[in-house]
Amino acid sequence: MSIYEQMSLAVEREATRIWILNVGDMKPYEREIEFFTNLGWDATRWNPDNLDSFISSWAQREFQVSPAVAATVTDIVGNLTRFNSRRKPELLNSTTFSVISYREAERVLDAWATLKNASTNVYNNLSADFKPAFFQLVHHPVIASANLANMVYTLSYFKNNIRASQARLSANGLADNVETFFEEDYNIEQQYHTILDGKWDHMMDQTHVGYYYWQQPMANTMPPVTRVSPKKQVLAGVMRIAPEGTLGAWPGDNPNQCSMGYNCPPPTVTLDNFDTFGTRYIDVGSGGPSPFTFTVTSNATWVKLSQTEGSVSPAAPETRVFASVNDWSELPAGTSSATLTFKATALNQQPLSVSVIFTVTKNTLPSTFTGFVEGAGVISIEAAHTTRNTSVSGVSWKVLPRYGRTLSAITPWPHLGNNEANYTAGAGPSVEYDFYNFNPMSGNLTITTYVNPSFNAGEKDRPIGFAVQVDSQTPQALYFFPPAVPGGFPAAWGGNDGFAANNIISAVAKVTGVTPGPHTLKISMIEPAVVVEKIVINTGALMPSYLGPPESLINAFDGLINVLVSKPYQLGPMTGVCGVQSPASNDLDLVVSHEAVLIASAITILTLRDELGSAKVETPELTGHSGPRFDDVPRGRRALPKPITIFDPASVMGKVGAKISSARDFGMGEDGWTVVAL
């Protein structure tokens, strides 16, 4: 999509006689080079909505697979290129993704694991004749990238070094894993070189692990790891408690527990009823060679724990306990607190007890509101999930599927608008997003719009820009690309945290006077060619992260049922695990996690089977694909009288007639998912 987005601008500006492409090494990019030349040969054949057909046709031609398998390959390639484009490989480091905010590092690693499994499944089912080609063109970059992800920025620092600083014995096992991944990197390289009797020998010789600056390292270097003594007991006792959202660990002293670094109070974890995850975790770890058993109790009946007892030993040095709310409807509005008590018992050791304060907030949402709902002090919006899209002079915003770091992007279309006309702030083609906030910082909001790092390609006095507006306030014009000398780059382009490294520009607007309640965010075109990927509204508790928070829950109301829909972090079969969560308030009948749905053509039937509210998710196979299957997913105590169908309007509209309502009726983009009652 990025090739198409940039080169279609060249076509519209009639720069079509000669294109020059710096491909670096040609061997790993056969597919992309072929698309580039196809686009140059006949640009009219392609548009943002049919680019997937190129990959699908390519996969059928190269590997002789069915259209269904080709669709899976298309999703694999789409997510592979997305994941690898999030940051320049030579600038990946151990702190790229956050270990404490939004479970970001873990979600990134999980996505790579899912991608690797999907690619492995396709590879294993190919005939021997086509395995070498698939390995070279698809599978090798998947497994090599996944392995590097584990080694460099997920385990080497985020887990190994942090756990060592927390005096957790599990740091040693993670150090072993890093060494295993480092050795596996060479094994994967050798597998590439020895296929077909060495047909592609030396193609992957370039060093790529342990960059110190932009130039390749002289030798692959394993990321540094840290170990703790496996034989000596931690001073504070056998058990280590490490709650979500902090680098600290209890008991004992740790510089990350509080500002003083000693005599710190018990840790606190917080949760609200519109939080994307719906849980908070507390890791229970080993502090040395002594095995122990533990119990977890709460002084409040509304607390739900994933387990209330367990055991930890050097052979199994970690377990994770999730805390949530049994039934939000039984809690009063506002804040409630409980104390979770972890008690450890070990042979020849004094009993050890650690308390964790669990504070939850129940917010009230009007049942008729439709839109994004604040959770955990933030509203996160994927740009493609618009509430409204208003055209001006034949120009409107169009979705660029799979474009960007997390899902898709939007851009004014036609690409150069109405003969490259520009607009005053607020007057141009616009998209709107309805949102509901509970706790703005005294009415102050910070709105960060993630935009593609596009150059100012127009006239000198017309830098690329767009406008942001909340409700009827004055629109703010954002010109996000700084000026530079002709032929040069602005200072913000380079560096470890520059536009090129992050593959994103954060355009920030501050607004005041925003009261709690429903509001509308409007983004409007000023100049053509701007590409918007994501919007994050900080209402008071935004945490630092690389990709930004996962998308907020979306409340959809159709007059019959009120449903919270959690959009997938990325479309395609690489999304995570399905879940059905407890209702967020008395006004909500059902909460559905959209990470259930693997592909755009899948229909997931959710049948509420009995008065206890048990649910069964059945995913029939459509066009050769299916989503995950689940049994007896627990949900809230209120049952619905009718089944629910979760569907993609674009794929099933018209196939079931009157039973399907338009996505627009729910205030969602046409490419979004929605929920209707049958």
Side-chain angles (χ1 to χ4, degrees), residues 60 65 112 128 189 210 213 248 252 279 281 297 312 326 398 431 487 531 548 564 599 606 632 652 656:
Q60 292 177 66
V65 295
W112 275 115
E189 178 182 314
Y213 71 126
T279 62
Y281 66 76
T297 59
V312 172
N326 273 316
K398 187 174 183 61
V431 288
V531 178
L564 273 178
I599 58 168
L606 175 62
D632 297 327
V652 301
V656 290

Side-chain angles (χ1 to χ4, degrees), residues 371-621:
F372 295 88
V373 184
E374 175 192 332
V378 69
I379 300 162
S380 180
I381 301 169
E382 292 291 350
H385 295 154
T386 59
T387 302
R388 285 168 291 276
N389 190 338
T390 303
S391 63
V392 174
S393 300
V395 181
S396 61
W397 290 76
K398 187 174 183 61
V399 173
L400 302 178
R402 303 181 188 273
Y403 190 101
R405 304 195 306 177
T406 53
L407 180 66
S408 296
I410 58 172
T411 190
W413 203 265
H415 229 350
L416 295 182
N418 180 21
N419 295 319
E420 296 199 59
N422 58 1
Y423 300 87
T424 57
S430 64
V431 288
E432 294 179 347
Y433 306 89
D434 292 338
F435 68 91
Y436 199 100
N437 63 304
F438 300 107
N439 186 32
M441 299 174 287
S442 300
N444 301 325
L445 300 179
T446 300
I447 302 172
T448 302
T449 305
Y450 296 171
V451 295
N452 181 265
S454 302
F455 281 82
N456 292 324
E459 299 175 17
K460 185 177 181 180
D461 60 345
R462 290 178 54 179
I464 191 168
F466 64 100
V468 169
Q469 178 182 1
V470 173
D471 299 332
S472 58
Q473 294 189 10
T474 302
Q476 298 185 39
L478 298 178
Y479 297 99
F480 52 87
F481 199 90
V485 298
F489 299 91
W493 180 262
N496 290 338
D497 198 37
F499 299 162
N502 296 333
N503 202 21
I504 208 73
I505 298 176
S506 298
V508 178
K510 296 183 181 295
V511 296
T512 60
V514 182
T515 58
H519 299 279
T520 297
L521 170 67
K522 178 180 178 180
I523 293 181
S524 57
M525 168 188 165
I526 293 179
E527 292 287 346
V530 62
V531 178
V532 177
E533 297 184 14
K534 186 171 185 169
I535 307 104
V536 175
I537 304 174
N538 183 9
T539 62
L542 176 67
M543 298 185 295
S545 63
Y546 186 72
L547 298 174
E551 189 167 41
S552 298
L553 298 176
I554 302 172
N555 192 57
F557 178 73
D558 70 348
L560 297 175
I561 59 172
N562 194 35
V563 182
L564 273 178
V565 180
S566 174
K567 296 278 187 166
Y569 201 62
Q570 68 265 346
L571 290 177
M574 303 314 121
T575 48
V577 178
C578 169
V580 179
Q581 305 170 358
S582 299
S585 74
N586 282 324
D587 296 328
L588 299 175
D589 297 301
L590 181 65
V591 180
V592 179
S593 168
H594 247 197
E595 293 182 351
V597 184
L598 292 193
I599 58 168
S601 60
I603 301 178
T604 301
I605 306 297
L606 175 62
T607 305
L608 306 181
R609 300 190 303 170
D610 54 48
E611 65 276 7
L612 296 178
S614 294
K616 186 177 182 68
V617 177
E618 301 172 352
T619 311
E621 292 193 4

